[in-house]
Amino acid sequence: AQSVTQLGSHVSVSEGALVLLRCNYSSSVPPYLFWYVQYPNQGLQLLLKYTSAATLVKGINGFEAEFKKSETSFHLTKPSAHMSDAAEYFCAVSGVGETSYDKVIFGPGTSLSVIP
Amino acid sequence: DTEVTQTPKHLVMGMTNKKSLKCEQHMGHRAMYWYKQKAKKPPELMFVYSYEKLSINESVPSRFSPECPNSSLLNLHLHALQPEDSALYLCASSAAGATNEKLFFGSGTQLSVL
């Protein structure tokens, strides 16, 4: 069973516009949550992670995400898109559903395009 | 040094060949991972090594054989692969078990099986 869903396999925004990438998880117990970014021909890089210390998590490159238990969501936002933000974004979880705490399971990904 | 180094970057092999992928990290991480990634898809977990012992095998076919010779090295031995095994193979490491630890990824080996 899929533990992570990302609404929208492809999102396009204009340069300078708000970026919103959606992530929902399926668990009654708050899992560990992550956002990773993958640029072309590269491995994945951590943007931010939810550690239960705060529901609003700030990451690198101006990204942030808000954990909402009631909505089982962990959406990623950035106030102003830059051309260099064009990449594939993966939401990931560990310690939920079929996963053990040694497994990080990735969502299907959202490809972000930034239009000049 | 916060890098995970994978070699080779590209590999083309026939279905009867034997080859190996290599991964190295010098961050003192005790957990290492192999992921397989098809184009436009998320990484799929294959194996997890924790303290040099295989802790997770995601029912991967035996034509893929992992090895962790020491805490810094992770190999993936390939034998009699099929064309559908063509993919990007990513190695990752973390300080301990995944839990809430950050995964550090290498840039991957792009494998083509002819």
Side-chain angles (χ1 to χ4, degrees), chain B residues 5 10-11 18 20 24-25 29 39 45 53 55 63 79 97 109 112 114:
Chain B
T5 304
H10 302 275
L11 179 63
K18 287 186 180 181
S20 297
E24 192 167 3
Q25 58 87 15
H29 289 173
L45 183 64
K53 294 192 186 303
S55 62
R63 57 185 184 268
H79 175 54
T109 295
S112 296
L114 304 179

Side-chain angles (χ1 to χ4, degrees), chain A residues 58-93:
Chain A
K58 294 187 182 299
I60 62 171
N61 301 339
F63 284 93
E64 63 182 35
E66 185 173 9
F67 173 73
K68 291 187 177 180
K69 183 179 178 181
S70 61
E71 299 177 6
T72 60
S73 68
F74 190 57
H75 301 330
L76 182 71
T77 60
K78 181 174 181 177
S80 177
H82 191 272
M83 296 298 294
S84 61
D85 294 326
E88 191 79 20
Y89 291 79
F90 294 99
C91 183
V93 299

Side-chain angles (χ1 to χ4, degrees), chain A residues 5 20 23 45-46 52-53 58 65 67 74 78 86 94 110:
Chain A
T5 57
L20 171 61
C23 172
Q45 177 184 5
L46 182 71
S52 76
K58 294 187 182 299
F67 173 73
F74 190 57
K78 181 174 181 177
S94 69
T110 297

Side-chain angles (χ1 to χ4, degrees), chain A residues 17-40:
Chain A
L18 171 72
V19 176
L20 171 61
L21 304 181
R22 300 178 186 274
C23 172
N24 289 87
Y25 63 92
S26 54
S27 174
S28 59
V29 177
Y32 297 112
L33 293 158
F34 313 81
W35 276 100
Y36 283 84
V37 61
Q38 186 175 29
Y39 299 101

Side-chain angles (χ1 to χ4, degrees), chain B residues 13 29 32 43 49 53 58 68 75 82 86 88 91 98 104:
Chain B
M13 61 186 291
H29 289 173
M32 297 186 76
Y49 273 84
K53 294 192 186 303
E58 289 291 277
C68 190
N75 298 320
Q82 303 298 309
S86 298
L88 180 68
C91 174
F104 290 78

Side-chain angles (χ1 to χ4, degrees), chain A residues 32 34 36 38 41-46 49-51 88 90 94-95 100-109 111, chain B residues 33 35 37 40-43 45 48 50 55-56 58 88 90 96-108:
Chain A
Y32 297 112
F34 313 81
Y36 283 84
Q38 186 175 29
N41 302 314
Q42 293 188 27
L44 284 73
Q45 177 184 5
L46 182 71
K49 65 180 182 181
Y50 169 68
T51 61
E88 191 79 20
F90 294 99
S94 69
S100 71
Y101 286 89
D102 278 339
K103 294 185 185 182
V104 175
I105 303 299
F106 291 87
S111 178
Chain B
Y33 312 78
Y35 282 86
Q37 186 179 27
K40 306 296 184 184
K41 296 293 186 182
L45 183 64
V48 179
S50 181
S55 62
I56 294 176
E58 289 291 277
L88 180 68
L90 293 165
T99 57
N100 66 345
E101 292 290 339
K102 172 182 177 179
L103 288 175
F104 290 78
F105 281 87
S107 296

